[in-house]
């Protein structure tokens, strides 16, 4: 069986795996994201060790961004202008391509997770869908007409502008670029800054969650009206709070106000806005799916 290396390069942790799909992961390693030299060094040490026993045909990297995923660009394979200290202009694809001499695919972490869900999870059989992760940041990716979304760069859905009622929510937002963009209002660090405690310590009936659901629903209504996704998958630590999913679904219905007359929204929204079927493995499995595609394209 052909084996692949998957790297979920997150802003807080790296997940590396060798395998060919959700039922066939031979080895996995998780470690914190520190400096590029130390973090990529640990990843390469893991794969060097694995390669003593297994041949790895290609690699896929699902990375925090922004990344340059355009193969015709001179900076293809780089993490570009990230605010993450030490990481701007890091040639993450080159690190693996030089070491192993096999195809290496790259996309954003959220497009990677979307690809994983498309191949093996909650988006199987769909050709237009959206994947969001709401955690230390808020990122969105997905497919339109069967292709992962790219264009000028790649989607940055977390930085969309949503209405901010400062009477209801005086918190100014904490995006370093925009203040109260969606990420600045609704990602995990915004929850912590607004309420003075980490999201996972807020009780399920805390008013924080209705406000959170309101912001997420505002963003999702924008996405629904622009992309017309067949399904929306929401992952990340914030979505682990059980009261958020039902609140987001009903708020999306309230804001759309009957305009989109489709059963998926009117009566089957529990199957329309869903958690990732691959759980917290979506990212690394998506990276393996990306490696499969990189080999097929080589
Ligand atoms: Zn922003």
């Amino acid at each position: 069986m052909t084996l692949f290396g998957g790297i979920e390069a997150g802003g807080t942790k790296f997940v590396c795996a060798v395998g060919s799909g959700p039922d066939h992961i031979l080895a996995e390693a998780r470690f914190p994201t520190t400096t590029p030299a130390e973090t990529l060094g640990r990843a390469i040490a893991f794969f060097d060790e694995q390669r003593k026993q297994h041949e790895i045909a290609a690699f896929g990297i699902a990375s925090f961004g922004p990344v340059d995923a355009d193969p015709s660009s001179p900076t293809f394979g780089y993490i570009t202008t990230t605010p993450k200290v030490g990481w701007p202009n890091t040639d993450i694809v080159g690190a693996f391509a030089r070491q192993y001499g096999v195809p290496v695919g790259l996309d954003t972490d959220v497009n990677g997770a979307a690809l994983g869900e498309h191949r093996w999870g909650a988006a199987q059989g769909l050709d237009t869908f959206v994947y969001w992760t709401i955690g230390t940041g808020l990122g969105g990716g997905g497919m339109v007409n069967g292709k992962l979304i790219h264009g000028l760069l790649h989607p940055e859905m977390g930085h969309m502008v949503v209405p901010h009622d400062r009477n209801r929510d005086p918190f100014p937002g904490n995006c370093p670029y925009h203040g109260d963009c969606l990420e600045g209002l609704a990602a995990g660090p915004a929850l912590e800054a607004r309420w003075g405690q980490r999201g996972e310590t807020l009780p399920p009936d805390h008013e924080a969650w209705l406000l959170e659901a309101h912001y997420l629903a505002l963003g999702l209504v924008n996405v629904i009206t622009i992309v017309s996704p067949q399904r929306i998958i929401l992952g990340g630590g914030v979505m682990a709070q059980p009261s958020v999913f039902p609140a987001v679904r009903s708020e999306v219905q309230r804001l759309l106000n009957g305009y989109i007359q489709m059963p998926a929204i009117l009566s089957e929204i529990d199957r329309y806005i869903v958690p990732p079927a691959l759980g917290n493995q979506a990212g690394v499995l998506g990276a393996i799916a990306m490696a499969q595609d990189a080999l097929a394209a080589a």
Side-chain angles (χ1 to χ4, degrees), residues 158-160 175-184:
H159 297 272
M160 76 171 81
C175 172
Y177 289 85
H178 316 113
D180 60 353
C181 65
L182 181 60
E183 178 174 287

Side-chain angles (χ1 to χ4, degrees), residues 22-23 113-131 143 146 230-233 271 274-278 285:
D23 304 322
L115 184 65
E117 288 291 320
H118 185 254
R119 192 143 309 165
W120 298 297
Q124 290 178 75
L126 305 182
D127 64 17
T128 299
F129 68 95
V130 165
Y131 182 103
M143 277 187 183
Q230 296 155 320
R231 185 163 293 146
I232 292 167
I233 304 168
R271 291 194 288 133
V274 300
L278 303 175
L285 287 167

